[in-house]
């Protein structure tokens, strides 16, 4: 079973930054499309960002473009989400997910493996 473990969440003031990490078991990362999703209380799960196996194909949600950056280090089996200029509306539980495919997608149903999530809270 593929294991994904997120870290790096916390409480930050608006305008601040956080970097989330997601470490995958084995050689999972090099053979997987990786995505970040988030879910705020009372809201539906939404797509944040995703990248391809080599990191060359990237997609972002419109709400985070220009502020968030997804990257990966396949040698470390880790994908990152650098979050800058954070806003209160970014507050949510952030999940990483893996899909053993080639095409980057924003559809959560395409991802097979999920981490447990890490809380990000942004205060005004």
């Amino acid at each position: 079973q593929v294991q994904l473990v997120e870290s790096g969440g916390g409480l930050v003031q608006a305008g601040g930054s956080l970097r989330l990490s997601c470490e995958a078991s084995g050689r999972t990362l090099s053979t997987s499309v990786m995505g970040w999703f988030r879910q705020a209380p009372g809201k539906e799960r939404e797509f944040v960002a995703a990248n391809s196996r080599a990191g060359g194909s990237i997609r972002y949600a419109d709400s985070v473009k220009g502020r968030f950056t997804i990257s990966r280090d396949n040698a470390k089996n880790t994908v990152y989400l650098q979050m800058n200029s954070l806003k209160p509306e970014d507050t949510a539980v952030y999940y990483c997910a893996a899909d053993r495919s080639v095409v980057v997608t924003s559809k959560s149903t395409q991802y097979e493996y999920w981490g447990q999530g890490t809380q990000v809270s942004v205060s005004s």
Side-chain angles (χ1 to χ4, degrees):
Q1 177 66 42
V2 172
Q3 302 291 325
L4 303 175
V5 181
E6 303 99 333
S7 62
L11 176 64
V12 65
Q13 292 184 336
S17 299
L18 286 172
R19 188 180 73 163
L20 305 183
S21 299
C22 176
E23 185 174 2
S25 60
R27 299 289 186 179
T28 299
L29 207 70
S30 64
T31 60
S32 300
V33 169
M34 299 297 297
W36 286 97
F37 294 80
R38 66 187 183 186
Q39 187 166 20
K43 294 187 176 182
E44 298 293 324
R45 178 178 53 190
E46 65 175 343
F47 170 77
V48 176
N51 62 7
S52 61
R53 297 178 182 184
S57 181
I58 301 173
R59 292 184 63 182
Y60 294 100
D62 289 341
S63 60
V64 306
K65 285 182 179 178
R67 300 189 297 121
F68 291 11
T69 302
I70 186 172
S71 62
R72 63 166 64 200
D73 186 338
N74 287 339
K76 295 182 178 180
N77 292 311
T78 302
V79 63
Y80 305 94
L81 184 68
Q82 178 67 47
M83 304 183 294
N84 298 325
S85 301
L86 283 162
K87 304 175 181 179
E89 50 263 47
D90 294 318
T91 295
V93 176
Y94 284 70
Y95 301 90
C96 67
D99 176 28
R100 291 185 173 179
S101 65
V102 176
V103 179
V104 171
T105 180
S106 62
K107 302 298 183 182
S108 62
T109 54
Q110 296 298 308
Y111 291 85
E112 301 174 77
Y113 309 104
W114 294 81
Q116 295 300 304
T118 185
Q119 177 71 48
V120 172
S121 298
V122 184
S123 62
S124 299

PDB file of all heavy atoms in Angstrom, residues 66-83:
ATOM      1  N   GLY A  66      -0.056  32.275  -8.953  1.00  0.00           N
ATOM      2  CA  GLY A  66       0.783  33.404  -8.614  1.00  0.00           C
ATOM      3  C   GLY A  66       1.187  33.449  -7.159  1.00  0.00           C
ATOM      4  O   GLY A  66       2.070  34.238  -6.789  1.00  0.00           O
ATOM      5  N   ARG A  67       0.561  32.621  -6.331  1.00  0.00           N
ATOM      6  CA  ARG A  67       0.871  32.599  -4.905  1.00  0.00           C
ATOM      7  C   ARG A  67       1.467  31.275  -4.447  1.00  0.00           C
ATOM      8  O   ARG A  67       2.322  31.253  -3.569  1.00  0.00           O
ATOM      9  CB  ARG A  67      -0.377  32.898  -4.080  1.00  0.00           C
ATOM     10  CG  ARG A  67      -0.995  34.256  -4.360  1.00  0.00           C
ATOM     11  CD  ARG A  67      -2.097  34.580  -3.356  1.00  0.00           C
ATOM     12  NE  ARG A  67      -3.203  33.631  -3.434  1.00  0.00           N
ATOM     13  CZ  ARG A  67      -3.619  32.863  -2.418  1.00  0.00           C
ATOM     14  NH1 ARG A  67      -3.006  32.936  -1.242  1.00  0.00           N
ATOM     15  NH2 ARG A  67      -4.648  32.037  -2.577  1.00  0.00           N
ATOM     16  N   PHE A  68       0.985  30.188  -5.032  1.00  0.00           N
ATOM     17  CA  PHE A  68       1.437  28.851  -4.642  1.00  0.00           C
ATOM     18  C   PHE A  68       2.324  28.256  -5.726  1.00  0.00           C
ATOM     19  O   PHE A  68       2.130  28.519  -6.921  1.00  0.00           O
ATOM     20  CB  PHE A  68       0.252  27.914  -4.431  1.00  0.00           C
ATOM     21  CG  PHE A  68      -0.600  28.210  -3.230  1.00  0.00           C
ATOM     22  CD1 PHE A  68      -0.456  29.384  -2.502  1.00  0.00           C
ATOM     23  CD2 PHE A  68      -1.564  27.294  -2.826  1.00  0.00           C
ATOM     24  CE1 PHE A  68      -1.250  29.649  -1.396  1.00  0.00           C
ATOM     25  CE2 PHE A  68      -2.363  27.542  -1.723  1.00  0.00           C
ATOM     26  CZ  PHE A  68      -2.209  28.720  -1.009  1.00  0.00           C
ATOM     27  N   THR A  69       3.269  27.429  -5.312  1.00  0.00           N
ATOM     28  CA  THR A  69       4.148  26.738  -6.240  1.00  0.00           C
ATOM     29  C   THR A  69       4.285  25.283  -5.831  1.00  0.00           C
ATOM     30  O   THR A  69       4.639  24.986  -4.688  1.00  0.00           O
ATOM     31  CB  THR A  69       5.542  27.381  -6.287  1.00  0.00           C
ATOM     32  OG1 THR A  69       5.439  28.755  -6.653  1.00  0.00           O
ATOM     33  CG2 THR A  69       6.421  26.662  -7.312  1.00  0.00           C
ATOM     34  N   ILE A  70       4.002  24.389  -6.761  1.00  0.00           N
ATOM     35  CA  ILE A  70       4.188  22.969  -6.509  1.00  0.00           C
ATOM     36  C   ILE A  70       5.509  22.530  -7.136  1.00  0.00           C
ATOM     37  O   ILE A  70       5.869  22.967  -8.226  1.00  0.00           O
ATOM     38  CB  ILE A  70       3.013  22.131  -7.053  1.00  0.00           C
ATOM     39  CG1 ILE A  70       3.157  20.664  -6.644  1.00  0.00           C
ATOM     40  CG2 ILE A  70       2.890  22.268  -8.569  1.00  0.00           C
ATOM     41  CD1 ILE A  70       1.935  19.807  -6.973  1.00  0.00           C
ATOM     42  N   SER A  71       6.231  21.682  -6.447  1.00  0.00           N
ATOM     43  CA  SER A  71       7.486  21.156  -6.958  1.00  0.00           C
ATOM     44  C   SER A  71       7.707  19.768  -6.381  1.00  0.00           C
ATOM     45  O   SER A  71       7.002  19.347  -5.463  1.00  0.00           O
ATOM     46  CB  SER A  71       8.655  22.086  -6.608  1.00  0.00           C
ATOM     47  OG  SER A  71       8.811  22.194  -5.206  1.00  0.00           O
ATOM     48  N   ARG A  72       8.681  19.071  -6.912  1.00  0.00           N
ATOM     49  CA  ARG A  72       8.964  17.739  -6.400  1.00  0.00           C
ATOM     50  C   ARG A  72      10.441  17.426  -6.438  1.00  0.00           C
ATOM     51  O   ARG A  72      11.202  17.989  -7.224  1.00  0.00           O
ATOM     52  CB  ARG A  72       8.183  16.673  -7.181  1.00  0.00           C
ATOM     53  CG  ARG A  72       8.550  16.578  -8.655  1.00  0.00           C
ATOM     54  CD  ARG A  72       7.987  15.291  -9.271  1.00  0.00           C
ATOM     55  NE  ARG A  72       6.535  15.255  -9.261  1.00  0.00           N
ATOM     56  CZ  ARG A  72       5.816  14.137  -9.364  1.00  0.00           C
ATOM     57  NH1 ARG A  72       6.425  12.960  -9.484  1.00  0.00           N
ATOM     58  NH2 ARG A  72       4.495  14.193  -9.355  1.00  0.00           N
ATOM     59  N   ASP A  73      10.833  16.507  -5.583  1.00  0.00           N
ATOM     60  CA  ASP A  73      12.175  15.967  -5.557  1.00  0.00           C
ATOM     61  C   ASP A  73      12.007  14.459  -5.545  1.00  0.00           C
ATOM     62  O   ASP A  73      11.796  13.853  -4.493  1.00  0.00           O
ATOM     63  CB  ASP A  73      12.942  16.444  -4.333  1.00  0.00           C
ATOM     64  CG  ASP A  73      14.399  16.011  -4.341  1.00  0.00           C
ATOM     65  OD1 ASP A  73      14.741  15.037  -5.030  1.00  0.00           O
ATOM     66  OD2 ASP A  73      15.208  16.659  -3.638  1.00  0.00           O
ATOM     67  N   ASN A  74      12.079  13.864  -6.719  1.00  0.00           N
ATOM     68  CA  ASN A  74      11.822  12.434  -6.832  1.00  0.00           C
ATOM     69  C   ASN A  74      12.842  11.591  -6.061  1.00  0.00           C
ATOM     70  O   ASN A  74      12.513  10.517  -5.567  1.00  0.00           O
ATOM     71  CB  ASN A  74      11.800  12.011  -8.298  1.00  0.00           C
ATOM     72  CG  ASN A  74      10.555  12.469  -9.019  1.00  0.00           C
ATOM     73  OD1 ASN A  74       9.534  12.766  -8.397  1.00  0.00           O
ATOM     74  ND2 ASN A  74      10.616  12.532 -10.342  1.00  0.00           N
ATOM     75  N   ALA A  75      14.064  12.075  -5.966  1.00  0.00           N
ATOM     76  CA  ALA A  75      15.091  11.350  -5.232  1.00  0.00           C
ATOM     77  C   ALA A  75      14.747  11.236  -3.753  1.00  0.00           C
ATOM     78  O   ALA A  75      15.145  10.281  -3.088  1.00  0.00           O
ATOM     79  CB  ALA A  75      16.446  12.019  -5.404  1.00  0.00           C
ATOM     80  N   LYS A  76      14.006  12.212  -3.242  1.00  0.00           N
ATOM     81  CA  LYS A  76      13.590  12.202  -1.849  1.00  0.00           C
ATOM     82  C   LYS A  76      12.155  11.723  -1.675  1.00  0.00           C
ATOM     83  O   LYS A  76      11.638  11.723  -0.560  1.00  0.00           O
ATOM     84  CB  LYS A  76      13.734  13.597  -1.242  1.00  0.00           C
ATOM     85  CG  LYS A  76      15.168  14.086  -1.154  1.00  0.00           C
ATOM     86  CD  LYS A  76      15.236  15.453  -0.496  1.00  0.00           C
ATOM     87  CE  LYS A  76      16.671  15.917  -0.361  1.00  0.00           C
ATOM     88  NZ  LYS A  76      16.753  17.259   0.283  1.00  0.00           N
ATOM     89  N   ASN A  77      11.526  11.347  -2.782  1.00  0.00           N
ATOM     90  CA  ASN A  77      10.133  10.893  -2.755  1.00  0.00           C
ATOM     91  C   ASN A  77       9.221  11.907  -2.083  1.00  0.00           C
ATOM     92  O   ASN A  77       8.323  11.550  -1.312  1.00  0.00           O
ATOM     93  CB  ASN A  77      10.020   9.539  -2.039  1.00  0.00           C
ATOM     94  CG  ASN A  77      10.674   8.419  -2.810  1.00  0.00           C
ATOM     95  OD1 ASN A  77      10.430   8.264  -4.005  1.00  0.00           O
ATOM     96  ND2 ASN A  77      11.497   7.633  -2.132  1.00  0.00           N
ATOM     97  N   THR A  78       9.443  13.169  -2.400  1.00  0.00           N
ATOM     98  CA  THR A  78       8.719  14.238  -1.728  1.00  0.00           C
ATOM     99  C   THR A  78       8.204  15.273  -2.718  1.00  0.00           C
ATOM    100  O   THR A  78       8.930  15.686  -3.624  1.00  0.00           O
ATOM    101  CB  THR A  78       9.607  14.935  -0.687  1.00  0.00           C
ATOM    102  OG1 THR A  78      10.075  13.972   0.264  1.00  0.00           O
ATOM    103  CG2 THR A  78       8.835  16.016   0.049  1.00  0.00           C
ATOM    104  N   VAL A  79       6.964  15.683  -2.526  1.00  0.00           N
ATOM    105  CA  VAL A  79       6.383  16.773  -3.285  1.00  0.00           C
ATOM    106  C   VAL A  79       6.108  17.916  -2.320  1.00  0.00           C
ATOM    107  O   VAL A  79       5.767  17.688  -1.158  1.00  0.00           O
ATOM    108  CB  VAL A  79       5.096  16.336  -4.025  1.00  0.00           C
ATOM    109  CG1 VAL A  79       4.010  15.924  -3.035  1.00  0.00           C
ATOM    110  CG2 VAL A  79       4.607  17.439  -4.946  1.00  0.00           C
ATOM    111  N   TYR A  80       6.271  19.151  -2.792  1.00  0.00           N
ATOM    112  CA  TYR A  80       6.136  20.324  -1.948  1.00  0.00           C
ATOM    113  C   TYR A  80       5.052  21.251  -2.477  1.00  0.00           C
ATOM    114  O   TYR A  80       4.756  21.289  -3.668  1.00  0.00           O
ATOM    115  CB  TYR A  80       7.446  21.107  -1.893  1.00  0.00           C
ATOM    116  CG  TYR A  80       8.640  20.290  -1.459  1.00  0.00           C
ATOM    117  CD1 TYR A  80       9.478  19.692  -2.398  1.00  0.00           C
ATOM    118  CD2 TYR A  80       8.936  20.122  -0.109  1.00  0.00           C
ATOM    119  CE1 TYR A  80      10.577  18.948  -2.005  1.00  0.00           C
ATOM    120  CE2 TYR A  80      10.031  19.379   0.290  1.00  0.00           C
ATOM    121  CZ  TYR A  80      10.850  18.793  -0.660  1.00  0.00           C
ATOM    122  OH  TYR A  80      11.939  18.053  -0.262  1.00  0.00           O
ATOM    123  N   LEU A  81       4.499  22.014  -1.568  1.00  0.00           N
ATOM    124  CA  LEU A  81       3.601  23.095  -1.939  1.00  0.00           C
ATOM    125  C   LEU A  81       4.046  24.336  -1.184  1.00  0.00           C
ATOM    126  O   LEU A  81       3.832  24.442   0.027  1.00  0.00           O
ATOM    127  CB  LEU A  81       2.140  22.762  -1.609  1.00  0.00           C
ATOM    128  CG  LEU A  81       1.124  23.809  -2.059  1.00  0.00           C
ATOM    129  CD1 LEU A  81       1.035  23.850  -3.584  1.00  0.00           C
ATOM    130  CD2 LEU A  81      -0.253  23.526  -1.460  1.00  0.00           C
ATOM    131  N   GLN A  82       4.693  25.242  -1.888  1.00  0.00           N
ATOM    132  CA  GLN A  82       5.105  26.511  -1.302  1.00  0.00           C
ATOM    133  C   GLN A  82       3.946  27.483  -1.408  1.00  0.00           C
ATOM    134  O   GLN A  82       3.459  27.758  -2.502  1.00  0.00           O
ATOM    135  CB  GLN A  82       6.326  27.071  -2.026  1.00  0.00           C
ATOM    136  CG  GLN A  82       6.797  28.422  -1.511  1.00  0.00           C
ATOM    137  CD  GLN A  82       7.336  28.355  -0.100  1.00  0.00           C
ATOM    138  OE1 GLN A  82       8.129  27.480   0.222  1.00  0.00           O
ATOM    139  NE2 GLN A  82       6.899  29.277   0.754  1.00  0.00           N
ATOM    140  N   MET A  83       3.503  28.002  -0.277  1.00  0.00           N
ATOM    141  CA  MET A  83       2.352  28.885  -0.226  1.00  0.00           C
ATOM    142  C   MET A  83       2.797  30.256   0.276  1.00  0.00           C
ATOM    143  O   MET A  83       3.245  30.386   1.416  1.00  0.00           O
ATOM    144  CB  MET A  83       1.264  28.312   0.679  1.00  0.00           C
ATOM    145  CG  MET A  83       0.827  26.906   0.284  1.00  0.00           C
ATOM    146  SD  MET A  83      -0.536  26.289   1.313  1.00  0.00           S
ATOM    147  CE  MET A  83       0.299  26.172   2.894  1.00  0.00           C
TER     148      MET A  83
END
